[in-house]
Amino acid sequence: MRAENSAIPSSSIAVTAPGAGATAGPAAAGAIPGAAPVPAPVPASAPPTGRGGTVLAALGVVAFSLTFPGTAWGLESFGPWSLVALRSVLAAVIAGGFLLAGRVPPPERRHWAGLAVVAGGVVVGFPLLTTLALETSTTSHAAVVVGLLPLTTAVLGSLRTGERPSRTFWAAALAGAAVVIGFTVWQSGGTLTTGDLYLFGALLVCAAGYTEGGRLARVMPGWQVVGWALVLCLPLAVAGSAAALSLEPVRPSAHGVLGLVWVAAGSTFLGLYVWYRGMAAIGVARASQLQLAQPLLTLVWSFFLLGEEVSAAAPVAAVAVLLCIAATQRAGRGRGR
């Protein structure tokens, strides 16, 4: 700044709130000298922060914990390929309806690759691989997938989004994963089933889908991330439904239909919506650790809905997992998340 400009009284300079560039210059002439700057309005679609994001991510975990019991019910009426294809079609119809009602324009071209990862991971890959696994595995055994999923998602999220959780976070995450894995393996008698390859494959593709969806939810609403990923899969899902229904028998029942409706509307659309919105608010790594509670919740639902036995060690494991979750969330807040 030149010397002669320093004589201008500071009270005559109008300060414009960030993001209000249109009011700068001549429009600022009417500002009252010395008045406080007017804050920029917060968009109605701004993502939640802090506790709000944690609550949304936790609601996503509750929805996901019902996926395996819902799938087990769905398999009472549909074959595995039919169930997965119909699930995707129904969820895409719901999502497409919301997108049309909101007159949402298509995403920018640079986002389609990320949406394809979400679609391949959480819309097609995870449902298909876990459904195939549940033909030979119990829901309690399949819960080992989500026992490893939080840690895998945190690792991929750190690599993809640049998040750098603290050492305390990683220690608590590893401890929580160890508790969940140890409990679920012990619960299944320490044996491995033929569906384990499906389960580990589901783990990898789902973690990739969660990570990419959490990243995209920072630049577009979470429900649109889910919606466009589902719509992207609709042609494949319709073709798959036609082929699968012609090859696999259908035995309609109340449980089967209810299971299909839940995994489509609850787990796939609603669950992913609140999950991605929560991840956008508190970060991929921190949100992922809330899923440490998912296997134990799945065991509870399996007991009440499917009649599967749950050991007396479950409450002990649940308390240990909750302590690990609390440690990861505290470590996340300590880094400003």
Side-chain angles (χ1 to χ4, degrees), residues 56 62 67 94 102 109-111 152 161 165 170 213 234 237 246 272 276 291 304 317:
L56 287 174
V62 173
T67 300
I94 296 172
R109 181 176 298 180
R110 60 192 176 96
H111 296 319
T152 308
T161 65
W170 288 118
L234 184 57
S246 67
L272 287 175
Y276 284 142
Q291 278 197 301
F304 285 108

Side-chain angles (χ1 to χ4, degrees), residues 151-249:
L151 184 60
T152 308
T153 303
V155 171
L156 291 182
S158 179
L159 294 174
R160 183 70 178 92
T161 65
E163 294 181 15
R164 294 294 180 267
S166 65
R167 292 181 179 179
T168 302
F169 173 93
W170 288 118
L174 286 168
V179 170
V180 172
I181 294 169
F183 174 74
T184 51
V185 171
W186 178 80
Q187 179 77 11
S188 63
T191 59
L192 297 178
T193 69
T194 56
D196 285 327
L197 289 177
Y198 290 132
L199 295 174
F200 287 117
L203 163 72
L204 294 175
V205 298
C206 189
Y210 280 170
T211 299
E212 199 64 21
R215 186 188 67 83
L216 287 172
R218 295 178 177 179
V219 296
M220 68 176 72
W223 72 273
Q224 292 183 22
V225 174
V226 180
W228 288 115
L230 287 166
V231 170
L232 186 63
C233 290
L234 184 57
L236 178 63
V238 171
S241 297
L245 289 173
S246 67
L247 298 173
E248 295 178 335

Side-chain angles (χ1 to χ4, degrees), residues 260-279:
L260 170 62
V261 171
W262 173 257
V263 295
S267 300
T268 303
F269 183 71
L270 178 61
L272 287 175
Y273 162 61
V274 294
W275 176 244
Y276 284 142
R277 191 163 168 80
M279 290 181 87

Side-chain angles (χ1 to χ4, degrees), residues 10-175:
S10 59
S11 61
S12 64
I13 301 177
V15 180
T16 306
T23 62
I32 300 175
V38 179
V42 178
S45 60
T49 57
R51 291 184 179 179
T54 302
V55 169
L56 287 174
L59 288 175
V61 171
V62 173
F64 298 154
S65 70
L66 282 160
T67 300
F68 285 169
T71 300
W73 272 7
L75 287 172
E76 294 180 13
S77 296
F78 304 95
W81 295 91
S82 299
L83 179 61
V84 172
L86 290 172
R87 165 184 179 169
S88 296
V89 169
L90 181 56
V93 169
I94 296 172
F98 276 94
L99 291 171
L100 287 175
R103 297 181 179 180
V104 179
E108 298 177 26
R109 181 176 298 180
R110 60 192 176 96
H111 296 319
W112 280 108
L115 289 170
V117 174
V118 175
V122 301
V123 177
V124 177
F126 186 80
L128 177 59
L129 293 171
T130 53
T131 300
L132 292 173
L134 285 174
E135 287 197 296
T136 57
S137 301
T138 64
T139 57
S140 57
H141 180 78
V144 72
V145 174
V146 287
L148 283 170
L149 187 56
L151 184 60
T152 308
T153 303
V155 171
L156 291 182
S158 179
L159 294 174
R160 183 70 178 92
T161 65
E163 294 181 15
R164 294 294 180 267
S166 65
R167 292 181 179 179
T168 302
F169 173 93
W170 288 118
L174 286 168

